[in-house]
Amino acid sequence: ALFFEAYLIKQLSLQESVVTSSTALLGMLPKGIALLTITSLLTAVIKLGMKHILVQEMYSVETLARVDVLCLDKTGTITQGKMTVKGLKLLSERFTKEELERLLAAYMQHSKDNNATAQAIRNAYEGLEHHYQVGDIIPFSSDRKWGAMSIDGIGTLFLGAPEMLLKENPKAVDQAQARGSRVLILAWSQSAVDTETMSLPNDVEGLTLLEIADPIREDAAETLEYLRSEDVTLKIISGDNPVTVSHIAHQAGFADYQSYIDCSKVSDEELEALAEDTAIFGRVSPHQKKLLIQTLNANGHTTAMTGDGVNDVLALKEADCSIAMAQGSDAAKNIANVVLLDSNFASMPHIVNQGRRVVNNIRTAASMFLIKTMFSVMLSLLTIFFGNTYPFEPIQMSLISACAVGIPTFLLAQENNYEKIDHTFLRHVFINAFPAALTITSCVFAVMLVCQNVYHSTEMLNTACVLVTGWNYMAALKTVYAPLNTYRKTIIYGMQFIFFAAAVIFQKLLSLGSLDFGMIILVFILMTFAPVLID
């Protein structure tokens, strides 16, 4: 519209019409906002890298800052993931303790299970010598919660969760779980391994209880308290027994440690209904982990999930932001958005803070970019409807953009702003931008009317508009970035000095000229009173 108005109605040359139109476009386009966003995210990635945090998806830094539900895997997150076998407790007199230890050695030497629990048992018993010959094997499954192996001359050994192998838990199991220990049962059956249906026979007999300890991280309580204070809802999703998880959560300072369920005993529909109000989910299958994340997302939450095992992959893929431990499985690390290279859950506050820094600084900077876009659009419409000449040239608009938007917003985007994100990004941007844009438009339009009706000088028009716009834009900087600290004052006042110095030094390059006394008075009045409207 600007081009046709200049070329067809005002009968300007093709070059003048193109320059006039492109000047308006330069103002409308928020040049640099994409670069500023990428630069801010990249800075966050570098800072997190220095904290031993690998960001594999750049956008995840921003996503994690908006997370309101964090689902934690107990092992390796609240606990250190350094499991050790505390000992055996015999449940039957069928085998001696020494025989059971050798049976465990045979089991672990031939098992391909490589999770943290299996590694702990392997470290404890794998080195023992034995004479047992192994037959068919059923590997451990997160869905079944048990694995099996046939031993020549012995029968079939089962290793897994007590509630999955036994009809009734022995008292020793409940006592160990109440201490926060992970409990496995080594059970025996004379029936052969059913590798097709993978079902349990009816004559399964518990042989011994394996109590496995996993120390709680020293900084777990502090990290959980920080997340809770930041209004992040915490949920623990674990394949372990819910009683064990609850006890560990209590030791780690988890507030809702008494709110737990056994997911092996509920249907998918019941789990969906309990997802919102339950804090701890025990005996969760990979499918149920995925279902929980999907349900929370469907309820309008922004979710994050921490995990380290293959059984966490489905849930990690569903979460808005997935976090894996470096000591976890390759599958979990490959699928995760963020990897904690030192497997330290205490790094979470650093990630949240860097995400907040990016979002808060970009939100503020976006207001400055939008001011130029808004007043350029309004000036363009006024120019079209009133038949005026667009009051800027491209190089003049570039000076205003550089000194009032590009350079200061880049420098101020490096500040550490860790305030909570209030989910009013666009509203905040428009509230900051509109008063300044309207004020600048009104001032420039007043100059246009006076200059074109009284002085009839394009050079004087450009000069007055550049000075008024630049000054008011600097006033908008002070308002948008209030309250001003020493760093902000240095940047803003430094940009004011550079702006006016450039206007004087590069006067000819910028096509600026002198002003008549009357125009000087008008510019002075507008530069004095217009900033009050912006505030």
Side-chain angles (χ1 to χ4, degrees):
L2 279 171
F3 173 79
F4 286 116
E5 190 264 348
Y7 188 64
L8 299 177
I9 298 176
K10 293 181 180 177
Q11 299 294 310
L12 298 179
S13 67
L14 180 63
Q15 179 180 355
E16 290 175 319
S17 301
V18 170
V19 169
T20 298
S21 305
S22 62
T23 305
L25 287 175
L26 283 172
M28 294 178 197
L29 296 174
K31 305 182 303 299
I33 188 67
L35 178 62
L36 180 63
T37 302
I38 293 171
T39 304
S40 298
L41 285 169
L42 184 60
T43 302
V45 170
I46 293 172
K47 288 183 176 180
L48 291 174
M50 297 171 67
K51 298 286 186 179
H52 306 289
I53 301 168
L54 173 63
V55 179
Q56 302 196 115
E57 300 280 357
M58 188 181 291
Y59 72 86
S60 61
V61 175
E62 179 264 342
T63 303
L64 194 55
R66 296 185 291 105
V67 163
D68 60 349
V69 176
L70 176 60
C71 298
L72 309 171
D73 183 25
K74 174 184 70 68
T75 305
T77 302
I78 298 177
T79 63
Q80 298 178 18
K82 300 176 181 178
M83 296 188 183
T84 55
V85 178
K86 293 180 66 174
L88 301 178
K89 185 172 183 62
L90 272 60
L91 303 176
S92 168
E93 297 181 356
R94 186 175 295 277
F95 299 98
T96 65
K97 183 178 179 181
E98 290 74 17
E99 289 174 329
L100 289 171
E101 289 175 346
R102 288 184 172 84
L103 286 171
L104 282 169
Y107 192 103
M108 299 315 301
Q109 287 171 9
H110 292 87
S111 172
K112 294 183 179 180
D113 298 334
N114 201 34
N115 53 51
T117 306
Q119 288 288 1
I121 301 173
R122 188 171 283 114
N123 293 337
Y125 301 110
E126 187 181 38
L128 297 178
E129 296 182 357
H130 63 87
H131 60 276
Y132 301 114
Q133 298 296 316
V134 174
D136 293 330
I137 298 175
I138 297 179
F140 179 85
S141 165
S142 298
D143 287 319
R144 294 189 313 272
K145 307 295 183 189
W146 57 265
M149 184 179 297
S150 64
I151 306 289
D152 292 349
I154 297 294
T156 302
L157 294 179
F158 296 86
L159 185 63
E163 57 266 37
M164 299 299 178
L165 294 175
L166 306 179
K167 295 178 180 178
E168 183 178 350
N169 278 350
K171 188 176 181 180
V173 171
D174 297 331
Q175 292 173 343
Q177 289 174 344
R179 291 192 291 269
S181 298
R182 172 169 291 188
V183 178
L184 291 182
I185 293 292
L186 181 66
W188 169 87
S189 171
Q190 61 182 358
S191 303
V193 175
D194 189 345
T195 56
E196 293 185 4
T197 63
M198 296 188 184
S199 58
L200 287 172
N202 295 323
D203 61 341
V204 175
E205 175 187 341
L207 298 178
T208 186
L209 174 154
L210 286 83
E211 184 173 351
I212 300 174
D214 190 1
I216 297 173
R217 292 186 181 275
E218 294 180 359
D219 46 19
E222 182 180 349
T223 305
L224 293 175
E225 176 58 33
Y226 166 80
L227 293 169
R228 190 162 50 248
S229 68
E230 298 299 316
D231 298 326
V232 177
T233 301
L234 301 174
K235 295 182 182 295
I236 301 178
I237 302 177
S238 175
D240 211 337
N241 183 277
V243 177
T244 299
V245 181
S246 173
H247 185 83
I248 290 177
H250 181 40
Q251 290 180 319
F254 194 83
D256 301 322
Y257 67 93
Q258 292 180 325
S259 173
Y260 61 86
I261 60 169
D262 187 337
C263 292
S264 65
K265 300 177 181 179
V266 299
S267 64
D268 287 354
E269 291 75 17
E270 291 173 322
L271 186 60
E272 290 177 356
L274 293 167
E276 197 71 46
D277 298 324
T278 306
I280 297 175
F281 301 86
R283 293 296 182 218
V284 187
S285 68
H287 163 73
Q288 289 175 320
K289 289 185 179 183
K290 175 183 176 181
L291 181 61
L292 280 169
I293 298 297
Q294 289 176 329
T295 303
L296 292 170
N297 286 339
N299 291 344
H301 295 291
T302 302
T303 58
M305 169 77 184
T306 66
D308 59 357
V310 176
N311 59 329
D312 297 318
V313 169
L314 294 177
L316 290 172
K317 290 178 67 176
E318 290 296 325
D320 294 303
C321 185
S322 52
I323 306 160
M325 307 293 172
Q327 66 185 16
S329 68
D330 290 338
K333 288 184 288 187
N334 289 336
I335 204 66
N337 303 126
V338 177
V339 179
L340 306 184
L341 297 179
D342 55 3
S343 299
N344 188 0
F345 180 59
S347 301
M348 287 295 298
H350 299 300
I351 307 175
V352 173
N353 285 339
Q354 286 304 316
R356 287 179 174 178
R357 183 187 66 81
V358 170
V359 174
N360 290 328
N361 289 341
I362 293 300
R363 184 183 68 173
T364 308
S367 300
M368 300 305 301
F369 281 93
L370 192 61
I371 290 172
K372 183 164 62 67
T373 298
M374 294 175 73
F375 86 69
S376 296
V377 170
M378 288 188 279
L379 280 179
S380 298
L381 294 173
L382 291 173
T383 299
I384 293 169
F385 291 129
F386 289 92
N388 304 107
T389 301
Y390 197 79
F392 297 103
E393 293 186 7
I395 194 170
Q396 296 165 353
M397 187 60 72
S398 296
L399 174 65
I400 295 171
S401 298
C403 293
V405 188
I407 297 174
T409 55
F410 174 79
L411 296 175
L412 293 169
Q414 310 309 314
E415 279 191 301
N416 292 330
N417 186 347
Y418 300 148
E419 294 180 5
K420 294 180 182 179
I421 298 173
D422 57 8
H423 304 285
T424 58
F425 188 96
L426 289 178
R427 180 173 175 270
H428 181 93
V429 170
F430 276 100
I431 288 176
N432 277 340
F434 184 74
L438 185 61
T439 302
I440 292 173
T441 303
S442 302
C443 290
V444 172
F445 188 61
V447 172
M448 289 168 61
L449 293 177
V450 172
C451 196
Q452 292 182 355
N453 294 323
V454 177
Y455 295 102
H456 307 288
S457 170
T458 302
E459 187 179 73
M460 191 180 298
L461 170 67
N462 291 345
T463 303
C465 288
V466 168
L467 292 177
V468 169
T469 302
W471 179 262
N472 286 326
Y473 224 140
M474 297 297 175
L477 264 177
K478 298 176 186 176
T479 301
V480 171
Y481 282 94
L484 299 182
N485 53 33
T486 303
Y487 178 73
R488 293 179 178 181
K489 288 179 181 178
T490 302
I491 299 299
I492 294 173
Y493 292 135
M495 286 298 103
Q496 285 183 328
F497 175 79
I498 293 173
F499 174 78
F500 287 107
V504 173
I505 297 172
F506 302 107
Q507 183 176 348
K508 291 185 178 180
L509 179 64
L510 295 168
S511 300
L512 302 177
S514 59
L515 301 176
D516 283 356
F517 181 75
M519 184 58 70
I520 293 175
I521 296 300
L522 177 61
V523 169
F524 177 77
I525 292 173
L526 293 175
M527 291 172 64
T528 302
F529 294 103
V532 177
L533 300 177
I534 296 175
D535 289 337

